[in-house]
Amino acid sequence: MVAFAMHKGQLHILLVRRGLEPHSQSWALPGGFVQHEETLAAAALRELREETSVALSPNHLEQLYTFGNPGRDPRGRIVSVAHMAVLPHGTPAVHAGGSTVGAAWFVAHDPPPLAFDHADILARAIRRLQTRLEYANLAFEFLPEHFTLPELQEVYEAILNQKLDKRNFRKRILSQGLLEPAGERRNGVGRPAQVYRRTKRVKYPGSAL
Amino acid sequence: MVAFAMHKGQLHILLVRRGLEPHSQSWALPGGFVQHEETLAAAALRELREETSVALSPNHLEQLYTFGNPGRDPRGRIVSVAHMAVLPHGTPAVHAGGSTVGAAWFVAHDPPPLAFDHADILARAIRRLQTRLEYANLAFEFLPEHFTLPELQEVYEAILNQKLDKRNFRKRILSQGLLEPAGERRNGVGRPAQVYRRTKRVKYPGSAL
DNA sequence: TCAAAAGTGTTAGCATTACACCCATGC
DNA sequence: GCATGGGTGTAATGCTAACACTTTTGA
């Protein structure tokens, strides 16, 4: 499971530190084996919760890709059905569970060395997130119910890893007609920002939720 | 495996008739179990060849999606990593092999009732093919080395299941600069068509070939 | 009054769409 | 000479990208 969240303007992912061989003490994506009467998505979510103790429900969950090359795991032929999830805003405290000895948030674009082929999985998840952003409005899933346009733009910039033009961004977002004003907010110094919320929440059809 | 090919201006898929329970005598997508030292894509390709006797190598092969809901197969928990392939032009004769009792081509947009959840798999494959067409130039993979623009347009129309404007289509394709003239062709009555071939074959990065 | 953050319009270039007639051949 | 299929251009519209200054607040 590649679990994404936004924190301080940066895209983060949730990793666990392995306690067992192979790759003991390495960082890895949380995951494990499917049980007999659960869906693949439910298994990914259960393993995420067991190994990292995150209590949050993701705002988005979708299957990413299946990695099954022989030799990707020294224990034998292991086929991993990778999923990706978008967690609500913020990076809450996490702690190890199950067979792991650590759990922590990392900046997605600058991860530590990862066990197995998990770096490939992460790279594919980031690419998918970037393309989904365009036509599935995934950015909203990273924010709380009320947010400002600069906050939304920050999400886009963190995921795409590039700066966007403020005026064009606002024009594009507001022309979609999915937002309605919901007050103002003062963030210390500077002019107060208009607060928005989504008018209707249209679920992306590929979502597993 | 969802194996696509183009024949007489229609998008076709290759199906097998099951000889064993469950769903004996039903039409189904070709497929089977992965062997220990082969990749997932190689397994899909091997099963396609064993069950349908197609000798052709696909021009494109990619992983589609993994179907693993409990209950999708009455024999137990079966997880299927669906793939899709584009075969070269035409629908060569096929015949049953392995445990199947039939193999045949069907029009993709009008399939017979399918075993298991294979109708879902087919629907997803067609959707994927339609979106890939746009940014991966997959249409060329359905045609022989030399082809005419009306033939290429026919591929687009069969996959998208809609008519396209001839002038706009030609403008769009030729402006990509991927084609070079390669003679003319007379097809019986009517003005001869300009024949083209690709200048460079740029593989789509998601391809498993 | 200064620094910080939010907000606001216009223009040029490019891509997309709609649309109707002439051309070359076989019979 | 006529039926068949191949080939061609233009105008309107919408979308994208580039670009700089004003407004509102706290300190």
Side-chain angles (χ1 to χ4, degrees), chain B residues 8 55 64 67 81 90-91 99 112 115-116 132:
Chain B
K8 293 197 177 172
L64 177 62
F67 296 80
V81 183
T91 51
S99 63
F116 307 108
R132 275 294 128 87

PDB file of all heavy atoms in Angstrom, chain B residues 8 55 64 67 81 90-91 99 112 115-116 132:
ATOM      1  N   LYS B   8     -11.901  -6.784 -40.974  1.00  0.00           N
ATOM      2  CA  LYS B   8     -13.043  -6.225 -41.710  1.00  0.00           C
ATOM      3  C   LYS B   8     -13.626  -4.999 -41.010  1.00  0.00           C
ATOM      4  O   LYS B   8     -14.851  -4.872 -40.861  1.00  0.00           O
ATOM      5  CB  LYS B   8     -14.128  -7.281 -41.892  1.00  0.00           C
ATOM      6  CG  LYS B   8     -13.667  -8.411 -42.805  1.00  0.00           C
ATOM      7  CD  LYS B   8     -14.833  -9.233 -43.312  1.00  0.00           C
ATOM      8  CE  LYS B   8     -14.297 -10.308 -44.280  1.00  0.00           C
ATOM      9  NZ  LYS B   8     -15.327 -11.272 -44.665  1.00  0.00           N
ATOM     10  N   ALA B  55      -0.343 -18.321 -33.390  1.00  0.00           N
ATOM     11  CA  ALA B  55       1.114 -18.395 -33.491  1.00  0.00           C
ATOM     12  C   ALA B  55       1.735 -16.999 -33.460  1.00  0.00           C
ATOM     13  O   ALA B  55       2.938 -16.860 -33.286  1.00  0.00           O
ATOM     14  CB  ALA B  55       1.502 -19.107 -34.783  1.00  0.00           C
ATOM     15  N   LEU B  64      -3.497  -5.177 -17.326  1.00  0.00           N
ATOM     16  CA  LEU B  64      -4.730  -4.408 -17.344  1.00  0.00           C
ATOM     17  C   LEU B  64      -5.216  -4.092 -15.929  1.00  0.00           C
ATOM     18  O   LEU B  64      -5.351  -2.926 -15.554  1.00  0.00           O
ATOM     19  CB  LEU B  64      -5.786  -5.224 -18.086  1.00  0.00           C
ATOM     20  CG  LEU B  64      -7.189  -4.634 -18.159  1.00  0.00           C
ATOM     21  CD1 LEU B  64      -7.174  -3.316 -18.898  1.00  0.00           C
ATOM     22  CD2 LEU B  64      -8.126  -5.620 -18.846  1.00  0.00           C
ATOM     23  N   PHE B  67      -8.133  -8.885 -10.791  1.00  0.00           N
ATOM     24  CA  PHE B  67      -9.473  -9.198 -10.301  1.00  0.00           C
ATOM     25  C   PHE B  67      -9.347 -10.271  -9.233  1.00  0.00           C
ATOM     26  O   PHE B  67      -8.870 -11.369  -9.511  1.00  0.00           O
ATOM     27  CB  PHE B  67     -10.355  -9.666 -11.460  1.00  0.00           C
ATOM     28  CG  PHE B  67     -10.574  -8.605 -12.487  1.00  0.00           C
ATOM     29  CD1 PHE B  67      -9.606  -8.329 -13.453  1.00  0.00           C
ATOM     30  CD2 PHE B  67     -11.717  -7.827 -12.467  1.00  0.00           C
ATOM     31  CE1 PHE B  67      -9.792  -7.326 -14.386  1.00  0.00           C
ATOM     32  CE2 PHE B  67     -11.913  -6.818 -13.395  1.00  0.00           C
ATOM     33  CZ  PHE B  67     -10.953  -6.565 -14.358  1.00  0.00           C
ATOM     34  N   VAL B  81      -4.690 -11.836 -12.803  1.00  0.00           N
ATOM     35  CA  VAL B  81      -4.013 -10.628 -13.261  1.00  0.00           C
ATOM     36  C   VAL B  81      -4.284 -10.499 -14.751  1.00  0.00           C
ATOM     37  O   VAL B  81      -3.628 -11.146 -15.570  1.00  0.00           O
ATOM     38  CB  VAL B  81      -2.506 -10.698 -12.981  1.00  0.00           C
ATOM     39  CG1 VAL B  81      -1.835  -9.398 -13.389  1.00  0.00           C
ATOM     40  CG2 VAL B  81      -2.249 -10.986 -11.509  1.00  0.00           C
ATOM     41  N   GLY B  90      -5.646  -8.810 -38.817  1.00  0.00           N
ATOM     42  CA  GLY B  90      -6.328 -10.005 -39.295  1.00  0.00           C
ATOM     43  C   GLY B  90      -6.677 -10.945 -38.165  1.00  0.00           C
ATOM     44  O   GLY B  90      -6.179 -10.824 -37.058  1.00  0.00           O
ATOM     45  N   THR B  91      -7.581 -11.863 -38.460  1.00  0.00           N
ATOM     46  CA  THR B  91      -8.017 -12.834 -37.457  1.00  0.00           C
ATOM     47  C   THR B  91      -7.739 -14.228 -38.007  1.00  0.00           C
ATOM     48  O   THR B  91      -8.617 -14.852 -38.602  1.00  0.00           O
ATOM     49  CB  THR B  91      -9.519 -12.676 -37.170  1.00  0.00           C
ATOM     50  OG1 THR B  91     -10.212 -12.682 -38.412  1.00  0.00           O
ATOM     51  CG2 THR B  91      -9.807 -11.414 -36.426  1.00  0.00           C
ATOM     52  N   SER B  99      -7.398 -27.480 -22.195  1.00  0.00           N
ATOM     53  CA  SER B  99      -8.653 -28.026 -21.697  1.00  0.00           C
ATOM     54  C   SER B  99      -9.863 -27.390 -22.380  1.00  0.00           C
ATOM     55  O   SER B  99     -10.992 -27.623 -21.962  1.00  0.00           O
ATOM     56  CB  SER B  99      -8.743 -27.776 -20.188  1.00  0.00           C
ATOM     57  OG  SER B  99      -8.770 -26.378 -19.940  1.00  0.00           O
ATOM     58  N   PRO B 112     -20.500 -12.758 -26.729  1.00  0.00           N
ATOM     59  CA  PRO B 112     -21.487 -13.682 -26.165  1.00  0.00           C
ATOM     60  C   PRO B 112     -21.442 -13.598 -24.643  1.00  0.00           C
ATOM     61  O   PRO B 112     -20.561 -12.941 -24.088  1.00  0.00           O
ATOM     62  CB  PRO B 112     -20.978 -15.039 -26.650  1.00  0.00           C
ATOM     63  CG  PRO B 112     -19.499 -14.859 -26.730  1.00  0.00           C
ATOM     64  CD  PRO B 112     -19.290 -13.441 -27.186  1.00  0.00           C
ATOM     65  N   ALA B 115     -18.122 -16.440 -19.065  1.00  0.00           N
ATOM     66  CA  ALA B 115     -18.009 -17.114 -17.771  1.00  0.00           C
ATOM     67  C   ALA B 115     -17.417 -16.179 -16.715  1.00  0.00           C
ATOM     68  O   ALA B 115     -16.799 -15.166 -17.036  1.00  0.00           O
ATOM     69  CB  ALA B 115     -17.128 -18.351 -17.923  1.00  0.00           C
ATOM     70  N   PHE B 116     -17.610 -16.554 -15.452  1.00  0.00           N
ATOM     71  CA  PHE B 116     -17.018 -15.822 -14.324  1.00  0.00           C
ATOM     72  C   PHE B 116     -17.328 -14.327 -14.444  1.00  0.00           C
ATOM     73  O   PHE B 116     -18.436 -13.967 -14.844  1.00  0.00           O
ATOM     74  CB  PHE B 116     -15.498 -16.057 -14.260  1.00  0.00           C
ATOM     75  CG  PHE B 116     -15.108 -17.503 -14.251  1.00  0.00           C
ATOM     76  CD1 PHE B 116     -14.517 -18.090 -15.359  1.00  0.00           C
ATOM     77  CD2 PHE B 116     -15.365 -18.302 -13.140  1.00  0.00           C
ATOM     78  CE1 PHE B 116     -14.167 -19.428 -15.340  1.00  0.00           C
ATOM     79  CE2 PHE B 116     -15.018 -19.646 -13.116  1.00  0.00           C
ATOM     80  CZ  PHE B 116     -14.418 -20.205 -14.223  1.00  0.00           C
ATOM     81  N   ARG B 132      -5.917   4.532 -24.275  1.00  0.00           N
ATOM     82  CA  ARG B 132      -4.540   4.385 -24.745  1.00  0.00           C
ATOM     83  C   ARG B 132      -4.359   4.906 -26.154  1.00  0.00           C
ATOM     84  O   ARG B 132      -3.325   5.470 -26.504  1.00  0.00           O
ATOM     85  CB  ARG B 132      -4.127   2.895 -24.741  1.00  0.00           C
ATOM     86  CG  ARG B 132      -3.612   2.358 -23.461  1.00  0.00           C
ATOM     87  CD  ARG B 132      -2.304   2.988 -23.073  1.00  0.00           C
ATOM     88  NE  ARG B 132      -2.395   3.487 -21.716  1.00  0.00           N
ATOM     89  CZ  ARG B 132      -2.151   2.766 -20.648  1.00  0.00           C
ATOM     90  NH1 ARG B 132      -1.755   1.524 -20.756  1.00  0.00           N
ATOM     91  NH2 ARG B 132      -2.277   3.284 -19.461  1.00  0.00           N
TER      92      ARG B 132
END
